[in-house]
Amino acid sequence: MIQSFNINNKWKKRGISFVPTVHKVLSRPTPGKVSILNDDSIAIEVGGIELGQGLWTKVKRMVAFALRKLWSDQNQDLLERIRVIQADTLSVVQGGWTTGSTTSESSCEAVRQACNILVDRLKPGKEQFEEKQGNMSWDELILKAQMIGVDLSAREYYVPGPSGTYLNYGAAASEVEIDLLTGATTILRCDLIYDCGQSLNPAVDLGQVGAGCYL
């Protein structure tokens, strides 16, 4: 189609380029801290910085997912209770740098492990209470935990194992049109294929990959 267009047009020409890529990913040790406050809200601290890559959105969703496991039907909506606090080197030590497209997954795993600690602390009291009075809400659970002296803050330092090093695959194909008289260039189409494994947040990841096409 491009060859035919170029033959039949003297002052406008089209071109196409296809570029595959293989990127080696190296995850790094990353800290994460999850705290349940007196107002039943949840505060997260991670070593990474929000640069528009959706890091905070992803860690919030991971915490909501991990803490909902306290209920067998996972019907507790905790996302609106969660906020991310911009950490510093005293509150979250060994934060490291934010780069290489690995900070999100490492931070999410760190807060997931921290949530597992909180779940283990909260579960015994929840089960004892529900044996006597039936199902309890998040607010009731946290109030009960405060009364019996449960530690509601957990920190974890995620250290990746052998699976922390892997290959990412992708490809891009772009079609452009150039006006030979004015030099104007138009991107007619750009198709991307990216293997991100199990996406932490498909909407965020799709937007990030799409934005990368125009950088």
Side-chain angles (χ1 to χ4, degrees):
M1 291 174 62
I2 289 176
Q3 289 176 346
S4 176
F5 179 89
N6 290 340
I7 291 173
N8 293 290
N9 290 271
K10 184 176 182 180
W11 302 114
K12 288 187 177 181
K13 301 296 180 181
R14 291 182 180 180
I16 190 169
S17 176
F18 175 78
V19 180
T21 183
V22 179
H23 174 63
K24 186 176 183 180
V25 177
L26 299 172
S27 298
R28 60 178 177 81
T30 306
K33 183 179 179 182
V34 180
S35 303
I36 304 171
L37 307 183
N38 290 336
D39 62 355
D40 306 325
S41 65
I42 304 163
I44 310 172
E45 295 173 80
V46 293
I49 305 299
E50 175 60 65
L51 301 171
Q53 81 279 39
L55 169 63
W56 286 7
T57 299
K58 292 176 182 178
V59 294
K60 287 173 65 176
R61 290 179 63 89
M62 179 59 75
V63 168
F65 169 78
L67 292 179
R68 278 202 305 266
K69 291 185 177 180
L70 280 162
W71 286 266
S72 58
D73 55 6
Q74 298 190 24
N75 64 350
Q76 293 291 317
D77 185 10
L78 303 177
L79 191 60
E80 295 301 321
R81 300 176 181 267
I82 301 172
R83 60 190 173 96
V84 181
I85 300 173
Q86 184 62 69
D88 57 34
T89 54
L90 291 178
S91 61
V92 180
V93 298
Q94 296 174 282
W97 58 88
T98 300
T99 186
S101 300
T102 60
T103 305
S104 293
E105 64 183 73
S106 297
S107 296
C108 283
E109 180 59 15
V111 297
R112 189 189 71 84
Q113 292 181 5
C115 287
N116 288 342
I117 296 173
L118 292 174
V119 168
D120 290 339
R121 292 175 184 171
L122 291 167
K123 200 168 186 179
K126 178 177 180 294
E127 291 175 346
Q128 292 178 6
F129 183 87
E130 289 183 336
E131 285 180 0
K132 299 177 182 179
Q133 302 189 30
N135 293 333
M136 62 192 314
S137 66
W138 172 260
D139 295 338
E140 293 171 332
L141 173 61
I142 301 309
L143 178 61
K144 182 70 174 179
Q146 291 171 348
M147 292 175 59
I148 62 177
V150 176
D151 185 357
L152 295 178
S153 182
R155 179 191 181 277
E156 189 59 65
Y157 189 59
Y158 163 63
V159 179
S163 61
T165 301
Y166 57 92
L167 298 178
N168 258 355
Y169 299 90
S174 297
E175 182 181 353
V176 300
E177 182 176 290
I178 300 176
D179 188 319
L180 301 182
L181 295 177
T182 64
T185 301
T186 304
I187 300 176
L188 300 176
R189 179 169 177 167
C190 186
D191 294 288
L192 299 171
I193 298 175
Y194 173 60
D195 177 15
C196 63
Q198 184 176 357
S199 175
L200 295 170
N201 187 312
V204 173
D205 289 338
L206 182 61
Q208 187 175 1
V209 174
C213 173
Y214 300 102
L215 295 180

